[in-house]
Coordinates of all heavy atoms in Angstrom, one line a residue:
M1 N -36.7 23.8 1.1 CA -36.1 23.8 -0.3 C -34.6 23.5 -0.3 O -33.9 24.2 0.4 CB -36.4 25.2 -0.9 CG -37.8 25.4 -1.4 SD -38.1 24.5 -2.9 CE -37.7 25.7 -4.2
A2 N -34.2 22.6 -1.0 CA -32.8 22.2 -1.0 C -32.1 22.7 -2.2 O -31.2 22.2 -2.5 CB -32.7 20.7 -0.9
T3 N -32.7 23.7 -3.0 CA -32.1 24.0 -4.2 C -31.2 25.2 -3.8 O -31.3 26.0 -3.0 CB -33.1 24.7 -5.1 OG1 -34.1 25.4 -4.5 CG2 -33.7 23.5 -5.9
D4 N -30.0 25.1 -4.5 CA -28.9 26.1 -4.2 C -28.8 27.3 -5.2 O -27.9 28.0 -5.2 CB -27.5 25.4 -4.2 CG -27.5 24.5 -2.9 OD1 -28.1 24.7 -2.0 OD2 -26.8 23.5 -3.1
Y5 N -29.8 27.2 -6.1 CA -29.7 28.2 -7.2 C -29.9 29.6 -6.8 O -30.8 29.9 -6.0 CB -30.8 27.8 -8.3 CG -30.6 26.4 -8.8 CD1 -31.6 25.5 -8.6 CD2 -29.5 26.0 -9.5 CE1 -31.6 24.3 -9.1 CE2 -29.4 24.8 -9.9 CZ -30.5 23.8 -9.8 OH -30.3 22.7 -10.2
D6 N -29.0 30.5 -7.1 CA -29.1 31.9 -6.8 C -29.8 32.6 -7.9 O -30.1 33.8 -8.0 CB -27.8 32.4 -6.7 CG -27.2 32.1 -5.3 OD1 -27.8 32.0 -4.4 OD2 -26.0 31.9 -5.2
A7 N -30.0 31.8 -9.0 CA -30.7 32.4 -10.2 C -32.1 33.0 -9.9 O -32.7 32.6 -8.9 CB -30.8 31.3 -11.4
P8 N -32.5 34.0 -10.7 CA -33.8 34.5 -10.6 C -34.9 33.4 -10.6 O -34.7 32.3 -11.2 CB -34.0 35.5 -11.8 CG -32.7 35.3 -12.6 CD -31.7 34.6 -11.9
R9 N -36.1 33.7 -10.0 CA -37.1 32.8 -10.0 C -37.5 32.2 -11.4 O -37.4 32.8 -12.4 CB -38.4 33.5 -9.6 CG -39.3 32.6 -8.9 CD -40.5 33.4 -8.3 NE -40.2 34.3 -7.3 CZ -40.8 35.2 -6.6 NH1 -42.1 35.5 -7.2 NH2 -40.4 36.0 -5.6
K10 N -37.7 30.9 -11.4 CA -38.0 30.2 -12.5 C -39.5 30.2 -12.9 O -40.4 30.4 -12.0 CB -37.6 28.6 -12.3 CG -36.1 28.4 -12.2 CD -35.9 27.1 -11.5 CE -34.5 26.9 -11.1 NZ -33.8 26.0 -11.9
T11 N -39.6 30.0 -14.3 CA -41.0 29.9 -14.7 C -41.4 28.6 -14.5 O -40.6 27.6 -14.2 CB -40.9 30.1 -16.2 OG1 -40.2 29.1 -17.0 CG2 -40.5 31.5 -16.6
E12 N -42.8 28.3 -14.6 CA -43.3 27.0 -14.3 C -42.7 26.0 -15.1 O -42.4 24.8 -14.9 CB -44.7 27.0 -14.5 CG -45.6 26.9 -13.1 CD -47.1 27.1 -13.3 OE1 -47.5 26.1 -13.9 OE2 -47.6 28.0 -12.9
E13 N -42.5 26.4 -16.5 CA -42.0 25.5 -17.4 C -40.7 24.9 -17.1 O -40.3 23.8 -17.1 CB -41.9 26.2 -18.9 CG -42.3 25.3 -20.0 CD -42.2 26.1 -21.4 OE1 -43.0 27.2 -21.3 OE2 -41.6 25.6 -22.2
E14 N -39.7 25.9 -16.7 CA -38.4 25.5 -16.3 C -38.5 24.5 -15.1 O -37.7 23.6 -15.0 CB -37.6 26.8 -15.8 CG -37.0 27.5 -17.2 CD -36.4 28.8 -16.7 OE1 -36.8 29.4 -15.7 OE2 -35.5 29.2 -17.4
I15 N -39.4 24.8 -14.1 CA -39.5 23.9 -13.0 C -39.8 22.6 -13.5 O -39.3 21.5 -13.1 CB -40.6 24.5 -12.0 CG1 -39.9 25.8 -11.5 CG2 -40.8 23.5 -11.0 CD1 -41.0 26.5 -10.7
K16 N -40.8 22.4 -14.4 CA -41.1 21.1 -15.0 C -40.0 20.4 -15.5 O -39.8 19.3 -15.3 CB -42.4 21.2 -16.0 CG -43.7 21.1 -15.3 CD -44.8 21.1 -16.5 CE -45.9 22.0 -16.1 NZ -46.7 22.5 -17.3
E17 N -39.3 21.2 -16.3 CA -38.1 20.6 -17.0 C -37.1 20.1 -15.9 O -36.5 19.0 -16.1 CB -37.4 21.6 -17.9 CG -37.9 21.6 -19.3 CD -37.3 22.6 -20.1 OE1 -36.2 23.3 -19.8 OE2 -37.9 23.1 -21.1
D18 N -37.0 20.9 -14.8 CA -36.1 20.4 -13.8 C -36.5 19.1 -13.2 O -35.6 18.3 -13.0 CB -36.1 21.5 -12.8 CG -35.0 22.6 -13.0 OD1 -34.4 22.6 -14.2 OD2 -34.8 23.5 -12.2
S19 N -37.8 19.0 -12.9 CA -38.3 17.7 -12.3 C -38.0 16.6 -13.2 O -37.7 15.5 -12.8 CB -39.6 17.9 -11.8 OG -40.5 18.3 -13.0
I20 N -38.2 16.8 -14.6 CA -37.9 15.7 -15.5 C -36.5 15.4 -15.4 O -36.0 14.2 -15.3 CB -38.4 16.2 -16.9 CG1 -39.9 16.2 -17.0 CG2 -37.9 15.1 -18.0 CD1 -40.3 16.9 -18.4
E21 N -35.5 16.4 -15.5 CA -34.2 16.1 -15.3 C -33.9 15.3 -14.0 O -33.0 14.4 -14.1 CB -33.4 17.4 -15.4 CG -33.3 18.1 -16.7 CD -32.6 17.2 -17.8 OE1 -31.5 16.7 -17.4 OE2 -33.1 17.1 -18.9
E22 N -34.6 15.8 -13.0 CA -34.2 15.1 -11.8 C -34.6 13.6 -11.9 O -33.9 12.8 -11.4 CB -35.1 15.7 -10.6 CG -34.5 15.9 -9.4 CD -35.4 16.6 -8.2 OE1 -35.4 17.7 -8.4 OE2 -35.9 15.9 -7.4
L23 N -35.7 13.4 -12.5 CA -36.1 12.0 -12.6 C -35.2 11.1 -13.4 O -34.8 10.1 -13.2 CB -37.6 11.9 -13.2 CG -38.8 12.3 -12.4 CD1 -40.1 12.3 -13.3 CD2 -38.9 11.3 -11.2
K24 N -34.8 11.8 -14.5 CA -33.7 11.1 -15.3 C -32.4 10.9 -14.4 O -32.0 9.7 -14.5 CB -33.2 12.0 -16.6 CG -34.2 11.9 -17.7 CD -33.7 12.7 -18.9 CE -34.7 13.3 -19.8 NZ -34.3 14.3 -20.7
T25 N -32.0 11.9 -13.8 CA -30.8 11.7 -13.0 C -31.0 10.5 -11.9 O -30.1 9.6 -11.8 CB -30.6 13.0 -12.2 OG1 -30.5 14.0 -13.1 CG2 -29.3 12.9 -11.5
R26 N -32.2 10.6 -11.4 CA -32.5 9.5 -10.4 C -32.4 8.0 -11.0 O -31.9 7.2 -10.5 CB -33.9 9.7 -9.8 CG -33.8 9.6 -8.2 CD -35.2 10.0 -7.7 NE -35.4 11.4 -7.5 CZ -36.5 12.2 -7.2 NH1 -37.6 11.4 -7.3 NH2 -36.4 13.4 -7.1
R27 N -32.9 8.0 -12.2 CA -32.9 6.7 -12.9 C -31.4 6.4 -13.2 O -31.0 5.2 -13.1 CB -33.7 6.7 -14.2 CG -34.4 5.5 -14.7 CD -35.3 5.6 -15.9 NE -36.3 6.6 -15.6 CZ -36.9 7.3 -16.6 NH1 -36.3 7.2 -17.7 NH2 -37.9 8.2 -16.3
N28 N -30.7 7.4 -13.6 CA -29.3 7.0 -14.0 C -28.6 6.6 -12.7 O -27.8 5.7 -12.8 CB -28.6 8.4 -14.5 CG -29.0 8.7 -15.9 OD1 -29.5 7.7 -16.6 ND2 -28.7 9.9 -16.4
D29 N -28.9 7.2 -11.5 CA -28.3 6.9 -10.3 C -28.5 5.3 -10.1 O -27.7 4.6 -9.6 CB -28.8 7.7 -9.2 CG -28.2 9.1 -9.1 OD1 -27.2 9.3 -9.9 OD2 -28.6 9.9 -8.5
Q30 N -29.8 4.9 -10.2 CA -30.2 3.6 -10.0 C -29.3 2.7 -10.8 O -28.9 1.7 -10.4 CB -31.6 3.3 -10.3 CG -32.5 3.9 -9.1 CD -33.9 3.8 -9.3 OE1 -34.3 3.4 -10.4 NE2 -34.7 4.2 -8.4
N31 N -29.2 3.1 -12.2 CA -28.3 2.3 -13.1 C -26.8 2.2 -12.7 O -26.4 1.1 -12.6 CB -28.5 2.8 -14.6 CG -29.9 2.6 -15.2 OD1 -30.6 1.8 -14.8 ND2 -30.0 3.4 -16.2
S32 N -26.4 3.4 -12.3 CA -25.0 3.2 -11.9 C -24.8 2.5 -10.7 O -23.8 1.9 -10.5 CB -24.5 4.8 -11.8 OG -25.2 5.5 -10.7
G33 N -25.8 2.6 -9.9 CA -25.7 1.8 -8.6 C -25.6 0.3 -8.9 O -24.8 -0.4 -8.3
R34 N -26.4 -0.1 -9.9 CA -26.3 -1.6 -10.4 C -25.0 -1.9 -10.9 O -24.3 -2.9 -10.6 CB -27.4 -1.8 -11.3 CG -27.9 -3.3 -11.2 CD -29.0 -3.6 -12.3 NE -30.1 -2.5 -12.2 CZ -30.6 -2.1 -13.3 NH1 -30.3 -2.6 -14.5 NH2 -31.6 -1.1 -13.2
V35 N -24.5 -1.0 -11.7 CA -23.1 -1.1 -12.3 C -22.0 -1.2 -11.2 O -21.1 -2.2 -11.2 CB -22.8 0.1 -13.2 CG1 -21.2 0.0 -13.7 CG2 -23.6 -0.1 -14.4
D36 N -22.1 -0.4 -10.1 CA -21.2 -0.4 -9.0 C -21.2 -1.9 -8.4 O -20.1 -2.3 -8.0 CB -21.5 0.7 -8.1 CG -21.2 2.0 -8.5 OD1 -20.3 2.1 -9.5 OD2 -21.5 3.0 -7.9
E37 N -22.4 -2.2 -8.1 CA -22.4 -3.7 -7.6 C -21.7 -4.7 -8.5 O -20.9 -5.5 -7.9 CB -23.9 -4.1 -7.4 CG -24.5 -3.5 -6.2 CD -26.0 -3.8 -6.0 OE1 -26.4 -4.9 -6.5 OE2 -26.7 -3.0 -5.4
D38 N -21.9 -4.5 -9.7 CA -21.2 -5.5 -10.6 C -19.7 -5.4 -10.4 O -19.0 -6.3 -10.3 CB -21.7 -5.3 -12.1 CG -23.1 -5.7 -12.3 OD1 -23.6 -6.5 -11.4 OD2 -23.6 -5.4 -13.4
E39 N -19.3 -4.1 -10.4 CA -17.8 -3.9 -10.4 C -17.2 -4.5 -9.1 O -16.2 -5.1 -9.0 CB -17.6 -2.4 -10.5 CG -17.5 -1.8 -11.8 CD -17.4 -0.4 -11.8 OE1 -17.2 0.3 -11.0 OE2 -17.5 0.2 -13.0
V40 N -18.0 -4.3 -8.0 CA -17.6 -4.8 -6.6 C -17.5 -6.2 -6.7 O -16.5 -6.9 -6.2 CB -18.6 -4.4 -5.5 CG1 -18.4 -5.2 -4.2 CG2 -18.6 -3.0 -5.3
E41 N -18.5 -6.9 -7.4 CA -18.4 -8.4 -7.6 C -17.2 -8.8 -8.3 O -16.5 -9.7 -8.0 CB -19.6 -8.9 -8.1 CG -20.8 -9.2 -7.2 CD -22.0 -9.4 -8.0 OE1 -22.0 -10.2 -8.9 OE2 -23.1 -9.0 -7.4
A42 N -16.9 -8.0 -9.4 CA -15.8 -8.4 -10.2 C -14.5 -8.2 -9.4 O -13.7 -8.9 -9.5 CB -15.7 -7.4 -11.4
A43 N -14.4 -7.0 -8.6 CA -13.3 -6.8 -7.7 C -13.0 -8.0 -6.8 O -11.8 -8.4 -6.6 CB -13.4 -5.4 -7.0
E44 N -14.2 -8.5 -6.2 CA -14.1 -9.5 -5.2 C -13.6 -10.8 -5.8 O -12.8 -11.5 -5.2 CB -15.4 -9.7 -4.6 CG -15.8 -8.8 -3.4 CD -17.2 -8.8 -2.9 OE1 -17.9 -9.7 -3.5 OE2 -17.4 -8.2 -1.9
S45 N -13.9 -11.0 -7.1 CA -13.4 -12.2 -7.8 C -12.0 -12.1 -7.9 O -11.3 -13.1 -8.2 CB -14.2 -12.5 -9.0 OG -14.0 -11.5 -10.0
F46 N -11.4 -11.0 -8.0 CA -9.9 -10.9 -8.2 C -9.3 -11.2 -6.9 O -8.1 -11.7 -6.9 CB -9.6 -9.4 -8.5 CG -9.7 -9.2 -9.9 CD1 -10.6 -8.4 -10.5 CD2 -8.9 -9.7 -10.9 CE1 -10.7 -8.1 -11.7 CE2 -8.8 -9.5 -12.3 CZ -9.9 -8.6 -12.6
E47 N -9.9 -11.1 -5.8 CA -9.3 -11.5 -4.5 C -9.4 -13.0 -4.3 O -10.2 -13.5 -3.7 CB -10.1 -10.8 -3.3 CG -9.8 -9.3 -3.4 CD -9.0 -8.8 -2.3 OE1 -8.7 -9.4 -1.4 OE2 -8.7 -7.6 -2.3
L48 N -8.3 -13.6 -4.8 CA -8.3 -15.2 -4.7 C -8.0 -15.5 -3.3 O -7.1 -14.8 -2.6 CB -7.3 -15.8 -5.7 CG -7.7 -15.3 -7.2 CD1 -6.5 -15.7 -8.1 CD2 -9.0 -16.0 -7.6
P49 N -8.4 -16.5 -2.8 CA -7.9 -17.0 -1.4 C -6.6 -17.3 -1.5 O -6.0 -17.9 -2.5 CB -8.8 -18.3 -1.2 CG -9.5 -18.6 -2.6 CD -9.5 -17.3 -3.4
G50 N -5.8 -16.9 -0.5 CA -4.5 -17.2 -0.5 C -3.6 -16.2 -1.3 O -2.4 -16.5 -1.6
A51 N -4.3 -15.1 -1.5 CA -3.5 -14.1 -2.4 C -2.3 -13.5 -1.5 O -2.4 -13.5 -0.4 CB -4.4 -12.9 -2.6
D52 N -1.3 -13.3 -2.3 CA 0.0 -12.8 -1.7 C -0.3 -11.4 -1.1 O -0.5 -10.4 -1.9 CB 1.0 -12.8 -2.7 CG 2.4 -12.6 -1.9 OD1 2.5 -12.6 -0.8 OD2 3.3 -12.2 -2.8
L53 N -0.3 -11.4 0.2 CA -0.5 -9.9 0.9 C 0.9 -9.4 1.5 O 0.9 -8.5 2.2 CB -1.5 -10.1 1.9 CG -2.9 -10.5 1.4 CD1 -3.8 -10.8 2.6 CD2 -3.5 -9.5 0.5
S54 N 2.0 -10.1 1.0 CA 3.2 -9.8 1.6 C 3.6 -8.2 1.4 O 4.2 -7.6 2.4 CB 4.3 -10.5 1.1 OG 4.4 -10.4 -0.3
H55 N 3.1 -7.7 0.3 CA 3.5 -6.2 0.1 C 2.8 -5.3 1.2 O 3.3 -4.3 1.4 CB 3.0 -5.9 -1.3 CG 1.5 -5.9 -1.6 ND1 0.9 -7.1 -1.9 CD2 0.6 -5.0 -1.5 CE1 -0.4 -6.9 -2.0 NE2 -0.7 -5.6 -1.7
E56 N 1.7 -5.8 1.7 CA 1.0 -5.1 2.8 C 2.0 -5.0 4.0 O 2.1 -3.9 4.7 CB -0.3 -5.5 3.1 CG -1.2 -5.2 1.9 CD -2.7 -5.6 2.2 OE1 -3.0 -5.8 3.4 OE2 -3.7 -5.7 1.3
E57 N 2.4 -6.2 4.4 CA 3.4 -6.2 5.5 C 4.5 -5.3 5.3 O 5.0 -4.7 6.2 CB 3.8 -7.6 5.8 CG 2.8 -8.5 6.4 CD 3.2 -10.0 6.4 OE1 4.2 -10.2 6.8 OE2 2.3 -10.9 6.2
L58 N 5.1 -5.4 4.1 CA 6.2 -4.6 3.6 C 5.9 -3.2 3.9 O 6.7 -2.3 4.5 CB 6.6 -4.9 2.2 CG 8.0 -4.3 1.8 CD1 9.0 -5.2 2.5 CD2 8.2 -4.6 0.2
T59 N 4.7 -2.7 3.6 CA 4.3 -1.3 3.8 C 4.5 -0.9 5.2 O 4.8 0.2 5.5 CB 2.9 -1.0 3.3 OG1 2.8 -1.5 2.1 CG2 2.6 0.5 3.3
V60 N 4.1 -1.8 6.1 CA 4.1 -1.5 7.5 C 5.5 -1.4 8.0 O 5.9 -0.4 8.7 CB 3.4 -2.6 8.3 CG1 3.7 -2.4 9.8 CG2 1.9 -2.7 8.1
R61 N 6.4 -2.2 7.4 CA 7.8 -2.2 8.0 C 8.4 -0.9 7.4 O 9.4 -0.4 8.0 CB 8.6 -3.4 7.3 CG 8.4 -4.6 8.1 CD 9.3 -5.7 7.7 NE 8.6 -7.0 8.2 CZ 8.4 -8.0 7.4 NH1 8.9 -8.0 6.2 NH2 7.9 -9.1 7.9
V62 N 8.0 -0.4 6.3 CA 8.6 0.8 5.6 C 8.2 2.2 6.2 O 8.8 3.1 6.1 CB 8.3 0.9 4.1 CG1 8.8 2.2 3.5 CG2 9.1 -0.4 3.5
L63 N 7.2 2.0 7.2 CA 6.7 3.3 7.9 C 8.0 4.0 8.5 O 8.9 3.4 8.9 CB 5.8 2.8 9.1 CG 4.4 2.6 8.8 CD1 3.6 2.0 10.0 CD2 3.8 3.8 8.2
P64 N 7.9 5.4 8.4 CA 8.9 6.1 8.8 C 9.4 5.8 10.3 O 8.5 5.5 11.2 CB 8.4 7.5 8.8 CG 7.2 7.4 8.1 CD 6.8 6.1 8.1
R65 N 10.6 5.7 10.6 CA 11.1 5.6 11.9 C 10.7 6.5 12.9 O 10.6 7.7 12.6 CB 12.7 5.5 11.9 CG 13.2 4.5 12.8 CD 14.9 4.8 12.8 NE 15.4 5.2 11.6 CZ 16.5 6.0 11.6 NH1 17.0 6.3 12.6 NH2 17.0 6.3 10.4
Q66 N 10.2 6.0 14.1 CA 9.8 7.0 15.1 C 11.0 7.5 15.7 O 12.1 7.0 15.6 CB 9.0 6.2 16.2 CG 7.8 5.5 15.6 CD 6.8 6.6 14.9 OE1 6.3 7.5 15.6 NE2 6.6 6.3 13.7
S67 N 10.9 8.8 16.5 CA 12.0 9.5 16.9 C 12.5 8.7 18.1 O 13.8 9.0 18.5 CB 11.5 10.8 17.4 OG 10.5 10.7 18.4
D68 N 11.8 7.8 18.7 CA 12.4 7.0 19.9 C 12.9 5.7 19.3 O 13.0 4.8 20.2 CB 11.3 6.8 20.9 CG 10.2 6.1 20.5 OD1 10.0 5.9 19.3 OD2 9.3 5.7 21.3
E69 N 13.2 5.6 18.1 CA 13.7 4.3 17.5 C 14.9 4.6 16.7 O 15.2 5.7 16.3 CB 12.6 3.6 16.6 CG 11.4 3.2 17.4 CD 10.3 2.6 16.5 OE1 10.3 3.1 15.3 OE2 9.5 1.9 16.9
F70 N 15.6 3.6 16.5 CA 16.8 3.7 15.6 C 17.0 2.5 14.8 O 16.4 1.4 15.2 CB 18.1 3.9 16.5 CG 18.5 2.7 17.3 CD1 19.6 1.9 16.8 CD2 18.0 2.3 18.4 CE1 19.9 0.7 17.4 CE2 18.4 1.2 19.2 CZ 19.4 0.4 18.6
T71 N 17.8 2.5 13.8 CA 17.9 1.3 12.9 C 19.4 0.8 13.2 O 20.3 1.5 13.2 CB 18.0 1.7 11.4 OG1 16.6 2.3 11.1 CG2 18.1 0.4 10.5
C72 N 19.4 -0.4 13.6 CA 20.7 -1.0 14.1 C 21.5 -1.2 12.8 O 21.0 -1.7 11.9 CB 20.4 -2.4 14.8 SG 22.0 -3.2 15.1
A73 N 22.7 -0.8 12.8 CA 23.7 -1.0 11.7 C 24.2 -2.4 11.6 O 24.8 -2.7 10.6 CB 24.8 0.1 11.9
G74 N 23.9 -3.2 12.7 CA 24.3 -4.5 12.5 C 23.3 -5.5 11.9 O 23.5 -6.3 11.0
C75 N 22.1 -5.4 12.4 CA 21.0 -6.3 12.0 C 20.0 -5.6 11.2 O 19.1 -6.3 10.7 CB 20.2 -7.0 13.2 SG 19.6 -6.0 14.4
F76 N 20.1 -4.3 11.0 CA 19.3 -3.5 10.3 C 17.8 -3.6 10.6 O 17.0 -3.3 9.9 CB 19.3 -3.9 8.8 CG 20.7 -3.7 8.3 CD1 21.6 -4.8 8.0 CD2 21.2 -2.4 8.0 CE1 22.8 -4.6 7.5 CE2 22.6 -2.3 7.6 CZ 23.3 -3.3 7.3
L77 N 17.5 -3.8 11.9 CA 16.3 -3.9 12.5 C 16.0 -2.5 13.1 O 17.0 -2.0 13.7 CB 16.1 -5.0 13.4 CG 16.0 -6.4 12.9 CD1 16.0 -7.4 14.1 CD2 15.0 -6.6 12.1
V78 N 14.8 -2.1 13.0 CA 14.4 -0.9 13.8 C 14.2 -1.3 15.2 O 13.4 -2.1 15.6 CB 13.1 -0.2 13.1 CG1 12.7 1.0 14.1 CG2 13.5 0.3 11.7
R79 N 14.9 -0.6 16.1 CA 14.8 -0.9 17.5 C 14.3 0.3 18.3 O 14.6 1.4 17.8 CB 16.3 -1.4 18.0 CG 16.9 -2.6 17.2 CD 16.4 -3.7 17.7 NE 17.3 -4.9 17.3 CZ 17.2 -6.1 17.8 NH1 16.4 -6.4 18.8 NH2 17.9 -7.1 17.4
H80 N 13.8 0.0 19.4 CA 13.6 1.1 20.4 C 14.9 1.6 21.1 O 15.8 0.8 21.1 CB 12.6 0.6 21.5 CG 12.1 1.7 22.3 ND1 12.6 2.2 23.5 CD2 11.0 2.6 22.0 CE1 11.8 3.2 23.8 NE2 10.9 3.4 23.0
R81 N 14.8 2.8 21.2 CA 16.0 3.6 21.9 C 16.6 2.8 23.1 O 17.8 2.8 23.3 CB 15.8 5.0 22.2 CG 15.6 6.0 21.3 CD 16.9 6.6 21.0 NE 17.1 7.1 19.5 CZ 18.2 7.0 18.9 NH1 19.4 6.7 19.4 NH2 18.2 7.5 17.7
S82 N 15.8 2.2 23.8 CA 16.2 1.5 25.0 C 17.1 0.2 24.5 O 17.8 -0.3 25.4 CB 14.9 0.9 25.8 OG 14.2 0.0 25.0
Q83 N 17.0 -0.2 23.3 CA 17.8 -1.3 22.9 C 19.2 -0.8 22.4 O 20.0 -1.6 21.8 CB 17.1 -2.1 21.7 CG 15.7 -2.7 22.1 CD 16.1 -3.9 23.1 OE1 16.6 -4.7 22.6 NE2 15.5 -3.7 24.3
L84 N 19.3 0.5 22.3 CA 20.6 1.1 21.8 C 21.7 0.7 22.8 O 21.8 1.2 23.9 CB 20.5 2.6 21.6 CG 21.8 3.3 21.1 CD1 22.2 2.7 19.6 CD2 21.4 4.7 21.0
A85 N 22.7 0.0 22.3 CA 23.8 -0.5 23.2 C 25.1 0.5 22.9 O 25.7 0.8 23.9 CB 24.2 -1.9 22.9
E86 N 25.4 0.8 21.7 CA 26.4 1.6 21.5 C 26.3 2.3 20.0 O 25.8 1.9 19.2 CB 27.8 0.9 21.6 CG 28.1 -0.1 20.5 CD 29.4 -0.6 20.4 OE1 30.4 0.0 20.6 OE2 29.7 -1.9 20.2
T87 N 27.2 3.4 19.9 CA 27.2 4.1 18.8 C 28.7 4.1 18.2 O 29.6 4.6 19.0 CB 26.6 5.6 18.8 OG1 25.4 5.5 19.4 CG2 26.7 6.3 17.5
R88 N 28.9 3.7 17.0 CA 30.3 3.4 16.5 C 30.3 4.1 15.1 O 29.6 3.8 14.3 CB 30.7 1.9 16.5 CG 32.0 1.6 16.9 CD 32.3 0.2 16.7 NE 31.5 -0.8 17.2 CZ 31.0 -1.9 16.6 NH1 31.6 -2.3 15.5 NH2 30.1 -2.6 17.3
N89 N 31.2 5.1 15.0 CA 31.4 5.8 13.8 C 30.1 6.3 13.3 O 29.7 6.2 12.1 CB 31.9 4.8 12.7 CG 33.4 4.3 13.1 OD1 34.0 5.1 13.8 ND2 33.7 3.1 12.8
G90 N 29.2 6.8 14.1 CA 27.9 7.3 13.8 C 26.9 6.3 13.4 O 25.7 6.8 13.1
Q91 N 27.3 5.1 13.6 CA 26.2 4.0 13.4 C 25.8 3.5 14.8 O 26.7 3.2 15.7 CB 26.9 2.9 12.5 CG 27.3 3.6 11.2 CD 27.3 2.5 10.2 OE1 28.2 1.6 10.2 NE2 26.5 2.5 9.2
E92 N 24.7 3.1 14.8 CA 24.0 2.6 16.1 C 23.8 1.2 16.1 O 23.3 0.6 15.0 CB 22.6 3.3 16.3 CG 22.9 4.9 16.6 CD 21.7 5.7 16.4 OE1 20.8 5.4 15.4 OE2 21.4 6.5 17.2
Y93 N 24.1 0.5 17.2 CA 24.0 -0.9 17.3 C 23.2 -1.2 18.5 O 23.2 -0.7 19.5 CB 25.4 -1.5 17.5 CG 26.3 -1.3 16.1 CD1 27.0 -0.2 16.1 CD2 26.3 -2.3 15.2 CE1 27.8 0.0 14.8 CE2 27.1 -2.1 14.2 CZ 27.8 -1.0 14.0 OH 28.6 -0.7 12.9
C94 N 22.3 -2.4 18.3 CA 21.5 -2.9 19.5 C 22.4 -3.8 20.3 O 23.6 -4.2 20.0 CB 20.3 -3.6 18.9 SG 20.7 -5.1 18.1
F95 N 21.8 -4.2 21.4 CA 22.4 -5.1 22.3 C 22.9 -6.3 21.6 O 24.0 -6.9 21.9 CB 21.5 -5.4 23.5 CG 21.5 -4.2 24.5 CD1 20.5 -3.3 24.5 CD2 22.7 -4.0 25.4 CE1 20.4 -2.4 25.5 CE2 22.5 -2.8 26.2 CZ 21.4 -2.1 26.2
D96 N 22.1 -6.8 20.7 CA 22.5 -8.1 20.0 C 23.6 -8.0 19.1 O 24.4 -8.9 19.0 CB 21.3 -8.5 19.0 CG 20.1 -9.0 19.9 OD1 20.2 -9.3 21.1 OD2 18.9 -9.0 19.4
C97 N 24.0 -6.8 18.7 CA 25.1 -6.7 17.8 C 26.3 -6.0 18.3 O 27.4 -6.0 17.6 CB 24.5 -5.8 16.4 SG 23.1 -6.7 15.6
A98 N 26.1 -5.3 19.3 CA 27.2 -4.6 20.0 C 28.1 -5.4 20.5 O 27.9 -6.7 20.7 CB 26.6 -3.7 21.1
G99 N 29.5 -5.1 20.6 CA 30.5 -5.7 21.2 C 31.4 -6.4 20.2 O 31.7 -6.9 19.4
Ligands
ZN1 ZN1 21.3 -5.2 15.8

């Protein structure tokens, strides 16, 4: 039995009503399933070939800096600590920008 009801035992009539409700629900589920497929198709039609996905790349770049990385004050690139050449006035510079 997969019923979670803590309620007192049901009369036969209530059980019959329940199964009718269950059938209705099942039918609704099938309907909603069909609607979902339509929505998926609609969503897919929005994805035009060659769509601009640059914002996704941007999201990757905006990821929080790792503790073993720094942002170069010269070229504004996130560099690995091993690329840190010098720190000037609290600003960090990579080997390309130092000197
Ligand atoms: Zn740099």
Side-chain angles (χ1 to χ4, degrees):
M1 283 286 270
T3 41
D4 293 331
Y5 302 117
D6 287 322
R9 200 175 295 170
K10 289 162 188 251
T11 66
E12 254 179 65
E13 217 176 312
E14 279 173 330
I15 292 170
K16 261 184 230 159
E17 271 177 20
D18 272 5
S19 50
I20 290 169
E21 285 299 314
E22 213 177 291
L23 286 176
K24 279 187 201 164
T25 307
R26 228 173 273 165
R27 209 175 303 149
N28 283 342
D29 281 348
Q30 284 172 358
N31 284 341
S32 63
R34 212 182 306 146
V35 169
D36 281 348
E37 276 172 35
D38 287 348
E39 280 174 2
V40 168
E41 276 173 37
E44 278 172 356
S45 66
F46 276 110
E47 294 247 354
L48 300 171
D52 186 19
L53 299 173
S54 57
H55 61 280
E56 288 186 18
E57 286 173 38
L58 196 65
T59 308
V60 172
R61 281 188 202 134
V62 168
L63 276 174
R65 214 186 330 147
Q66 302 301 303
S67 57
D68 63 347
E69 292 174 336
F70 71 98
T71 304
C72 173
C75 59
F76 300 106
L77 292 176
V78 175
R79 303 274 193 169
H80 192 262
R81 280 274 155 209
S82 63
Q83 298 289 299
L84 178 58
E86 70 170 316
T87 304
R88 223 186 300 147
N89 301 325
Q91 299 200 296
E92 294 163 316
Y93 294 84
C94 69
F95 281 105
D96 291 342
C97 304

